[in-house]
Amino acid sequence: MPKLNFALIGAGRIGQVHAANIARSDYADLVCVADAREDVATQLAARYGARVDHAESACQADDIGAVLIASSTDTHARFCELAARANKAVLCEKPIDLDLVRADACLAAVAATGVPFGIGFNRRFDKSFSVLEAALRRGEIGQIESLSIISRDPAPPPADYIAVSGGLFRDMMIHDFDTARWLLGDEPVEVFATGSCLIDPSIGEVGDIDTAVAVLKTASGVICQISNSRRAVYGYDQRIEAFGSKGMLRAENQVPSTVETTTAEGIRRDPPEPFFLERYGDAYKSELKAFVRAVVTGDEVSPSGADGRAALALAEAAAESVKTGLPVSI
Amino acid sequence: MPKLNFALIGAGRIGQVHAANIARSDYADLVCVADAREDVATQLAARYGARVDHAESACQADDIGAVLIASSTDTHARFCELAARANKAVLCEKPIDLDLVRADACLAAVAATGVPFGIGFNRRFDKSFSVLEAALRRGEIGQIESLSIISRDPAPPPADYIAVSGGLFRDMMIHDFDTARWLLGDEPVEVFATGSCLIDPSIGEVGDIDTAVAVLKTASGVICQISNSRRAVYGYDQRIEAFGSKGMLRAENQVPSTVETTTAEGIRRDPPEPFFLERYGDAYKSELKAFVRAVVTGDEVSPSGADGRAALALAEAAAESVKTGLPVSI
Amino acid sequence: MPKLNFALIGAGRIGQVHAANIARSDYADLVCVADAREDVATQLAARYGARVDHAESACQADDIGAVLIASSTDTHARFCELAARANKAVLCEKPIDLDLVRADACLAAVAATGVPFGIGFNRRFDKSFSVLEAALRRGEIGQIESLSIISRDPAPPPADYIAVSGGLFRDMMIHDFDTARWLLGDEPVEVFATGSCLIDPSIGEVGDIDTAVAVLKTASGVICQISNSRRAVYGYDQRIEAFGSKGMLRAENQVPSTVETTTAEGIRRDPPEPFFLERYGDAYKSELKAFVRAVVTGDEVSPSGADGRAALALAEAAAESVKTGLPVSI
Amino acid sequence: MPKLNFALIGAGRIGQVHAANIARSDYADLVCVADAREDVATQLAARYGARVDHAESACQADDIGAVLIASSTDTHARFCELAARANKAVLCEKPIDLDLVRADACLAAVAATGVPFGIGFNRRFDKSFSVLEAALRRGEIGQIESLSIISRDPAPPPADYIAVSGGLFRDMMIHDFDTARWLLGDEPVEVFATGSCLIDPSIGEVGDIDTAVAVLKTASGVICQISNSRRAVYGYDQRIEAFGSKGMLRAENQVPSTVETTTAEGIRRDPPEPFFLERYGDAYKSELKAFVRAVVTGDEVSPSGADGRAALALAEAAAESVKTGLPVSI
């Protein structure tokens, strides 16, 4: 595989993960780093021998083959369009935009250019979730009849982040909506969602919830439950259970070690990995590799912009369901 | 504890379980057995040296202290009333009646007599569920924020049973509604339910579903999910997960042995217990013991008639939610 | 199965377990109880409506079909002989005698009478161990190549018991020697054992050890490890691991419930069952049932007197190995 | 941490692992690669932009700070001496030599130079084993009383490798002897070992065994069991169990995913990782990092040459025990 030259837009927490993965891979080079905070960009670029640039020019530079967009959400759509029009392959962190109309405009603009375009739904590249998906496709549990996804963060983000996050469904459960679509292999036609603010009153004060359940149903009657919480004191809780006509598949949490301590108090194992950097560290590498391979071979990038759009639409429907108290048809 | 003399009404599958538990216990005697099929009653009575009687007289006989009602659902309310008026303690299998109005009339009649009255919600006496409940009460996971109950039968009952069963919510999920109330320690104020017929078309033909999810919410915002299926090919799937401010409690399935077989194909353990006789065999014994103790000591019987009523009301609400497609307030 | 009339010799802790199992079974009656302490015998007999008798006459009474010997070890051989000569079926707790010569004399005397004779090696009737054994026989792991048995008591017995126990190998590891022979399906030809006194100095003062490992080898080269400790603070640790040409079988400890508690400290399950009454409660019932069935059908009783003898011989060899520091051929 | 320049001697399977780890680390550079097969060295060097050299000159080159020796066993001692005399830090794969006298001569020569010297016992850097060791040191199970190590390869190596391997104890169990010493925190004073050839007759034909058990004892009476097999059809079986006065620690196998499949046949998880590249992939990285840190900071390298010597001495004693059939004092 020839190496693909990357510009990285956004040098924050997740940008740093991508930078390391690009720089240490056999199939990509980190050529350029941009961030609204120039010192942050400079520091990250220096670590991997990349140059610093402004986001706009980074998206369009001649020596760049692909742009990875990990900047703040409100800049995603604009940078996607800019990079696509400069004929760069684009890998964009979710969501494309908090607003579905804006996301659609972006997708149309990108589609017009014909460049490879992918969305960073990292769950699809998690080892255990991939194994579960493959078993499902092989028919190990026959026809899927129900699906349950649990996704809990270790601690709520600060209230000022919550305020601009688009709300729990667009910010957090959007990942699970994508996972649901991926595993169901079919489109939900109805969403019912309900939520509460049980953890942090300041989340409620900005009009958001911290605890939520959504129920999705496909045209063929398969039912999917998603459960989210902004705070699991024991770590990052990311599990899937698929039930079908011939059995059940469960992907349990990943734990740091296999050590069991047995004392008079019981048998104790490690709590789950603390957060996404640990749990999805390898998934980010696999995501990058799959993206580069698709770009290089000309295969379709997956998950695609359409996948990003569909998950966002489900998030909007769930938010509406909470607001109206009624199920929402898609 | 002095021994309590039992009349058993109903000598079918579950009646036979109760007969054995009464006869072999240190605190109860099986004095009398009744069943609409006299030969079935005779055979069961003979095994434990009990006499055979008609249900009506059995409910009122002088030497009887308690009546255990395990006959067909449509006879429950009548026998409850008969036994209560004869001043017998009553332990009745769920549900009191498929119709909430009829159940209420029965409960009023029984209440007027002042006899001890209990409903056979066996889950409350399962060892693992009891341990979970006790941990919850001790505050091991702080304040409960969400609850998930999974309940799947190994195989659907025959369609002719389904037709008179009252439907999945009154026949099957009613147990989970009781479990939810017991663990939440609070009353649900809203129910949303959705269901499908994915397993056996003949279930759909009599107007029922075989796959269902319900979402309950309490006034304080705690959310409970219940998932039911009429067919889990791997056995009887009965699990609970409670999530709270300080952690999570999970009661997993019980398996027949602890043996693990590791081969090139993987690490294999036993599937869950096949059905309720195996999974809840000990729970039935504990249920009986708790009932007798309450009768003897004069303590309140738990779960009570009011618990039976509340679970039935949730089942009705869930059925209505499926019918209307809307959440239902309780 | 016609009911078999039992005399129980010994009304201590283990005698009480047997009494309850006999009295509550469908295939046996507890007719008579004897114990050196008459009040203890009287109390136990009263609970199940049995008569009290002296051990000697109990062993020979006309209305008795089988004698279960659960008295102190030094009386086993004599009561076995007495009962056998009176033509009673005999089920004797291990060991037959602490002295192999005396045990052999007893076995010869019993054999001369032709009565059914069994030894109470309860492990063979444990559900998980039975499942493991059956899988081994079915060839699920091909040819067995090595075996590992772990057996740890929750706490050491008092030093005065240790002093008359015959030592760790005859008193405790004898169970594991029987398990080893049962699972290996072949006779060990060499034993190496080593031990230490690490837990309780008073055990060392009476010349015994509290921590020991034995290594057995069969003629075909299969190797078995046994590890014993007199104190596992977390409960009764009873595990088996069999390794073969096609895989591995592990029987893990039995735990009281399936509940897992996940907190910031980790994922905690119940410790193993506290001791043998809990872990082997069902095994004692199965043992009794198998014995009665063999007596009634005329099948060979298993484990047999010869099994009791062979385990004792291994215990003697292990004790000699510790004394000499050398492996001992059998 | 300044980067340390490495020469890698040996470009085979394990050499390639080290090459990648050095080249991709932040604290080391791969400067030079040597291998008896020049094409193999050339190919590996090219991948990471290193130069190719002869082993002798690579060990002594001016721009080299550390030499990693991963060549065939019979060359280890010579290259260690060469590199040490050229004042390079040395990290040598186990064993130093198959012969203890030769190993001692090498250690003396290296010691005379004063260079940092480490042995590649990778188990010490395995995440789960490290967690277990740390818990042991923290006193989580009180005083250690017994230790059990299981180590099984997925498949036996070819007979021609066996013939020059030094035998199972020096080639395979040597890792477990080191693990035992590390965890016991004390020196074994006696070794008893026994073995069989059960898997591959060609192993027996060259005078080796494929199945073995060793029992080690320390002066204070702590007992350690080690069990080895050359063939576990289910993968790489690497487990540790430590038992102490306050509990037990178990490090179980690492599995590729957390997925559980439940069907009518049971509950199935992944088999263990297939072999050492998967299981100890991260351990090799940690080993390298610890070595570089020690070299840079001047701390003592661990495991040290003395550790390599001690494990080899235990392997020799075990081999002698099998030969003589007797325990061997250290």
Side-chain angles (χ1 to χ4, degrees):
Chain A
M1 215 152 56
K3 286 197 172 191
L4 189 60
N5 283 354
F6 270 81
L8 172 69
I9 314 297
R13 190 170 54 168
I14 189 64
Q16 290 168 26
V17 171
H18 288 304
N21 291 341
I22 294 170
R24 287 179 187 155
S25 82
D26 292 334
Y27 43 82
D29 272 327
L30 184 64
V31 171
C32 175
V33 175
D35 195 285
R37 298 151 302 171
E38 203 181 317
D39 57 328
V40 172
T42 303
Q43 195 177 358
L44 186 60
R47 194 180 313 157
Y48 300 108
R51 74 166 180 268
V52 179
D53 202 344
H54 290 289
E56 284 74 9
S57 50
C59 285
Q60 307 176 73
D62 284 350
D63 59 348
I64 292 297
V67 178
L68 200 160
I69 299 171
S71 48
S72 64
T73 295
D74 59 339
T75 65
H76 286 184
R78 190 160 57 91
F79 292 144
C80 284
E81 291 165 353
L82 212 55
R85 282 173 185 145
N87 206 32
K88 314 302 183 195
V90 177
L91 178 55
C92 181
E93 276 297 325
K94 63 87 205 167
I96 302 167
D97 196 273
L98 293 177
D99 178 64
L100 194 54
V101 175
R102 179 67 188 91
D104 280 339
C106 172
L107 285 170
V110 170
T113 68
V115 300
F117 184 72
I119 299 293
F121 283 130
N122 53 1
R123 270 73 165 165
R124 295 201 188 198
F125 300 95
D126 176 70
K127 176 68 188 279
S128 293
F129 292 169
S130 299
V131 166
L132 185 147
E133 194 260 353
L136 201 55
R137 293 290 163 265
R138 275 197 312 274
E140 283 205 14
I141 60 164
Q143 291 295 316
I144 190 168
E145 291 169 3
S146 63
L147 179 68
S148 174
I149 300 172
I150 289 168
S151 179
R152 295 168 183 149
D153 282 351
D160 59 350
Y161 173 83
I162 293 278
V164 300
S165 71
L168 180 142
F169 296 110
R170 285 180 190 86
D171 179 56
M172 183 176 175
M173 201 182 279
I174 192 168
H175 274 296
D176 308 303
F177 288 129
D178 180 64
T179 303
R181 291 182 60 252
W182 176 51
L183 295 176
L184 292 170
D186 196 5
E187 294 300 327
V189 295
E190 190 191 85
V191 178
F192 173 79
T194 189
S196 305
C197 180
L198 300 174
I199 296 164
D200 183 351
S202 72
I203 292 176
E205 280 158 23
V206 297
D208 203 0
I209 53 181
D210 51 35
T211 302
V213 163
V215 179
L216 283 57
K217 202 173 176 179
T218 68
S220 60
V222 179
I223 304 171
C224 171
Q225 305 169 71
I226 302 173
S227 177
N228 273 190
S229 171
R230 286 284 191 185
R231 179 196 58 199
V233 295
Y234 47 80
Y236 195 42
D237 194 351
Q238 302 277 301
R239 287 174 287 148
I240 297 175
E241 179 172 322
F243 176 77
S245 57
K246 293 184 180 164
M248 170 168 63
L249 289 161
R250 300 171 80 181
E252 288 291 310
N253 281 313
Q254 196 171 300
V255 293
S257 87
T258 66
V259 173
E260 277 193 0
T261 309
T262 304
T263 65
E265 278 72 45
I267 306 170
R268 198 181 70 238
R269 290 182 294 130
D270 283 352
E273 294 285 8
F275 205 8
F276 72 97
L277 294 181
E278 293 83 7
R279 167 65 189 261
Y280 293 126
D282 285 338
Y284 284 115
K285 290 187 185 119
S286 300
E287 178 186 83
L288 180 73
K289 192 171 189 175
F291 174 76
V292 173
R293 177 176 294 134
V295 170
V296 168
T297 60
D299 285 352
E300 205 170 344
V301 177
S302 172
S304 67
D307 291 320
R309 201 264 174 212
L312 185 61
L314 288 168
E316 288 217 344
E320 191 193 331
S321 178
V322 165
K323 207 167 148 191
T324 62
L326 303 174
V328 173
S329 296
I330 306 293
Chain B
M1 214 154 55
K3 285 199 174 190
L4 188 60
N5 283 353
F6 270 82
L8 172 67
I9 315 298
R13 189 170 53 171
I14 188 65
Q16 290 168 27
V17 170
H18 289 305
N21 291 342
I22 294 169
R24 288 179 187 155
S25 82
D26 293 334
Y27 43 81
D29 272 326
L30 184 64
V31 171
C32 176
V33 175
D35 194 286
R37 298 150 303 170
E38 203 181 315
D39 57 329
V40 171
T42 304
Q43 198 177 353
L44 186 60
R47 194 180 309 159
Y48 299 108
R51 72 165 182 270
V52 179
D53 203 344
H54 290 289
E56 284 74 9
S57 51
C59 284
Q60 305 175 75
D62 284 350
D63 59 347
I64 293 299
V67 179
L68 197 161
I69 299 171
S71 49
S72 64
T73 295
D74 59 339
T75 66
H76 285 185
R78 189 161 56 91
F79 292 145
C80 284
E81 292 165 352
L82 211 56
R85 283 170 186 147
N87 208 33
K88 314 301 182 196
V90 178
L91 178 55
C92 181
E93 277 296 324
K94 64 89 206 163
I96 302 166
D97 195 274
L98 293 176
D99 178 64
L100 194 54
V101 175
R102 179 67 186 92
D104 280 340
C106 172
L107 285 169
V110 170
T113 68
V115 299
F117 184 71
I119 299 292
F121 283 130
N122 54 1
R123 268 75 166 165
R124 294 202 190 196
F125 300 95
D126 176 70
K127 178 67 188 280
S128 293
F129 292 169
S130 299
V131 166
L132 185 147
E133 194 261 352
L136 202 54
R137 291 293 161 264
R138 274 197 311 274
E140 283 205 13
I141 61 163
Q143 291 297 314
I144 189 167
E145 293 169 1
S146 63
L147 178 68
S148 173
I149 300 172
I150 289 168
S151 180
R152 295 169 182 148
D153 282 351
D160 59 349
Y161 173 84
I162 293 279
V164 300
S165 70
L168 181 142
F169 296 109
R170 286 180 190 87
D171 181 56
M172 184 175 174
M173 202 181 279
I174 192 169
H175 274 297
D176 308 304
F177 289 128
D178 180 65
T179 303
R181 291 183 61 252
W182 175 51
L183 296 176
L184 291 171
D186 195 5
E187 295 300 328
V189 296
E190 189 192 86
V191 178
F192 173 79
T194 189
S196 305
C197 181
L198 300 174
I199 296 164
D200 183 350
S202 73
I203 292 175
E205 280 158 23
V206 298
D208 203 1
I209 52 181
D210 51 35
T211 302
V213 163
V215 179
L216 283 59
K217 202 172 177 180
T218 68
S220 60
V222 180
I223 304 171
C224 170
Q225 306 169 69
I226 303 173
S227 176
N228 272 192
S229 171
R230 286 285 192 184
R231 180 196 58 199
V233 296
Y234 47 79
Y236 196 42
D237 195 351
Q238 302 277 299
R239 288 174 285 147
I240 296 175
E241 179 172 321
F243 175 77
S245 57
K246 292 184 181 164
M248 170 169 63
L249 289 161
R250 300 170 80 181
E252 286 291 308
N253 281 311
Q254 195 171 302
V255 292
S257 87
T258 65
V259 173
E260 276 193 0
T261 309
T262 305
T263 65
E265 277 72 46
I267 305 170
R268 199 180 69 238
R269 291 182 294 130
D270 283 352
E273 294 285 7
F275 206 10
F276 72 97
L277 294 181
E278 293 84 7
R279 167 64 190 261
Y280 294 126
D282 285 339
Y284 284 115
K285 290 186 186 120
S286 301
E287 177 186 83
L288 180 73
K289 192 170 189 175
F291 174 76
V292 173
R293 177 176 293 134
V295 170
V296 168
T297 59
D299 285 352
E300 206 171 344
V301 178
S302 171
S304 68
D307 291 321
R309 202 266 174 211
L312 185 60
L314 287 169
E316 288 217 347
E320 190 193 332
S321 177
V322 166
K323 209 167 144 190
T324 61
L326 303 173
V328 173
S329 295
I330 306 292
Chain C
M1 215 152 57
K3 285 198 172 190
L4 188 60
N5 283 353
F6 270 83
L8 172 68
I9 315 298
R13 189 170 53 170
I14 188 64
Q16 290 169 26
V17 171
H18 288 304
N21 291 342
I22 294 170
R24 287 178 187 157
S25 82
D26 293 334
Y27 43 81
D29 273 327
L30 184 65
V31 171
C32 176
V33 175
D35 194 285
R37 298 150 302 170
E38 203 182 315
D39 58 329
V40 172
T42 303
Q43 196 178 355
L44 185 60
R47 194 180 312 158
Y48 299 108
R51 74 165 181 270
V52 178
D53 203 345
H54 289 290
E56 284 74 10
S57 50
C59 285
Q60 307 176 73
D62 285 350
D63 59 348
I64 293 298
V67 179
L68 198 161
I69 299 170
S71 48
S72 64
T73 296
D74 60 338
T75 66
H76 285 185
R78 190 160 57 90
F79 291 144
C80 284
E81 292 165 352
L82 211 56
R85 283 172 185 144
N87 207 32
K88 313 302 184 196
V90 178
L91 177 56
C92 181
E93 276 296 326
K94 65 86 207 167
I96 302 167
D97 196 272
L98 292 177
D99 179 64
L100 194 53
V101 175
R102 180 66 188 93
D104 280 340
C106 172
L107 285 169
V110 170
T113 68
V115 300
F117 184 71
I119 299 293
F121 284 129
N122 53 2
R123 269 74 164 166
R124 295 201 189 197
F125 299 95
D126 175 71
K127 177 68 187 278
S128 293
F129 292 170
S130 299
V131 166
L132 184 147
E133 194 260 355
L136 201 54
R137 292 292 162 263
R138 274 198 312 275
E140 284 204 13
I141 60 164
Q143 291 296 314
I144 190 168
E145 292 169 2
S146 63
L147 179 67
S148 175
I149 300 172
I150 289 168
S151 180
R152 295 169 183 147
D153 283 351
D160 59 350
Y161 172 84
I162 293 278
V164 299
S165 71
L168 180 141
F169 297 109
R170 285 179 190 86
D171 179 56
M172 183 175 174
M173 202 183 278
I174 191 169
H175 275 296
D176 308 303
F177 289 129
D178 180 65
T179 303
R181 291 182 61 251
W182 176 50
L183 295 176
L184 292 170
D186 196 5
E187 295 299 329
V189 296
E190 190 192 86
V191 178
F192 173 79
T194 189
S196 305
C197 181
L198 300 174
I199 297 164
D200 183 351
S202 73
I203 292 176
E205 281 158 23
V206 298
D208 203 0
I209 53 181
D210 51 35
T211 302
V213 163
V215 179
L216 283 58
K217 202 173 177 180
T218 68
S220 60
V222 179
I223 303 171
C224 170
Q225 304 169 71
I226 302 173
S227 176
N228 273 191
S229 171
R230 286 285 191 186
R231 180 196 58 199
V233 295
Y234 48 79
Y236 195 42
D237 194 351
Q238 301 277 299
R239 287 174 286 146
I240 297 175
E241 179 172 323
F243 176 77
S245 57
K246 293 183 181 165
M248 170 169 64
L249 289 161
R250 300 171 80 181
E252 287 291 308
N253 280 312
Q254 196 171 300
V255 293
S257 88
T258 65
V259 174
E260 277 193 359
T261 309
T262 305
T263 65
E265 277 72 45
I267 306 171
R268 198 181 71 237
R269 290 182 295 131
D270 283 352
E273 294 284 8
F275 205 9
F276 72 98
L277 294 180
E278 294 82 8
R279 167 63 190 263
Y280 293 126
D282 285 338
Y284 284 115
K285 290 184 185 122
S286 301
E287 178 186 83
L288 180 72
K289 191 170 189 176
F291 175 75
V292 173
R293 177 176 293 135
V295 170
V296 168
T297 60
D299 286 352
E300 206 170 342
V301 178
S302 173
S304 67
D307 291 321
R309 201 263 174 212
L312 185 60
L314 288 168
E316 289 217 346
E320 191 193 331
S321 178
V322 165
K323 208 166 145 191
T324 62
L326 303 173
V328 173
S329 297
I330 307 292
Chain D
M1 213 153 60
K3 285 198 174 192
L4 188 60
N5 283 353
F6 269 82
L8 172 68
I9 315 298
R13 189 168 55 169
I14 187 64
Q16 291 167 26
V17 171
H18 288 305
N21 291 342
I22 295 169
R24 288 179 187 155
S25 82
D26 293 335
Y27 43 82
D29 273 326
L30 184 64
V31 171
C32 175
V33 174
D35 194 286
R37 298 151 302 173
E38 202 182 316
D39 57 328
V40 171
T42 303
Q43 196 177 355
L44 185 61
R47 193 178 313 158
Y48 300 107
R51 73 166 181 269
V52 180
D53 202 344
H54 290 289
E56 285 73 10
S57 50
C59 286
Q60 307 176 76
D62 284 351
D63 58 348
I64 293 298
V67 178
L68 199 161
I69 299 171
S71 48
S72 63
T73 296
D74 59 338
T75 66
H76 286 184
R78 190 162 56 92
F79 292 143
C80 284
E81 292 165 352
L82 211 55
R85 283 173 186 144
N87 207 32
K88 314 302 182 194
V90 178
L91 177 55
C92 181
E93 277 297 323
K94 65 86 205 168
I96 303 166
D97 195 273
L98 292 177
D99 178 65
L100 194 53
V101 175
R102 178 68 186 90
D104 281 340
C106 172
L107 286 169
V110 170
T113 68
V115 299
F117 184 72
I119 299 292
F121 284 128
N122 53 359
R123 269 74 166 164
R124 294 201 189 197
F125 300 94
D126 176 70
K127 177 70 188 278
S128 293
F129 292 169
S130 299
V131 166
L132 185 147
E133 194 260 353
L136 202 53
R137 290 294 161 263
R138 274 198 310 275
E140 284 205 13
I141 61 165
Q143 290 297 316
I144 190 167
E145 291 169 2
S146 63
L147 179 68
S148 174
I149 300 171
I150 289 169
S151 180
R152 295 169 181 146
D153 282 351
D160 58 350
Y161 172 84
I162 293 279
V164 300
S165 70
L168 181 141
F169 297 109
R170 285 180 191 86
D171 180 56
M172 184 176 174
M173 201 181 279
I174 192 169
H175 275 296
D176 308 303
F177 288 127
D178 180 65
T179 303
R181 291 182 61 252
W182 177 50
L183 295 176
L184 291 170
D186 195 5
E187 295 299 328
V189 295
E190 190 193 84
V191 179
F192 173 78
T194 188
S196 305
C197 180
L198 300 174
I199 296 164
D200 183 349
S202 72
I203 292 175
E205 280 158 24
V206 298
D208 202 1
I209 53 181
D210 50 37
T211 303
V213 164
V215 178
L216 283 58
K217 203 172 177 179
T218 68
S220 60
V222 180
I223 304 171
C224 170
Q225 305 169 72
I226 302 173
S227 177
N228 273 191
S229 171
R230 285 285 192 184
R231 180 196 57 200
V233 296
Y234 48 79
Y236 195 43
D237 195 351
Q238 301 278 300
R239 287 174 287 147
I240 296 174
E241 179 171 322
F243 176 77
S245 57
K246 293 184 181 165
M248 170 169 64
L249 290 161
R250 300 171 80 181
E252 287 291 309
N253 281 311
Q254 195 172 302
V255 293
S257 87
T258 65
V259 173
E260 276 194 359
T261 309
T262 304
T263 65
E265 278 71 45
I267 305 170
R268 199 181 68 237
R269 291 181 294 130
D270 283 352
E273 294 285 8
F275 206 9
F276 71 97
L277 294 181
E278 293 84 7
R279 168 64 190 262
Y280 293 126
D282 284 340
Y284 284 115
K285 290 185 186 119
S286 301
E287 178 186 84
L288 179 72
K289 192 170 188 175
F291 175 76
V292 173
R293 177 176 295 135
V295 170
V296 169
T297 60
D299 285 352
E300 206 171 343
V301 178
S302 172
S304 68
D307 292 319
R309 202 265 173 210
L312 184 61
L314 288 168
E316 288 217 346
E320 190 193 333
S321 178
V322 166
K323 206 167 149 192
T324 61
L326 303 173
V328 172
S329 296
I330 306 294

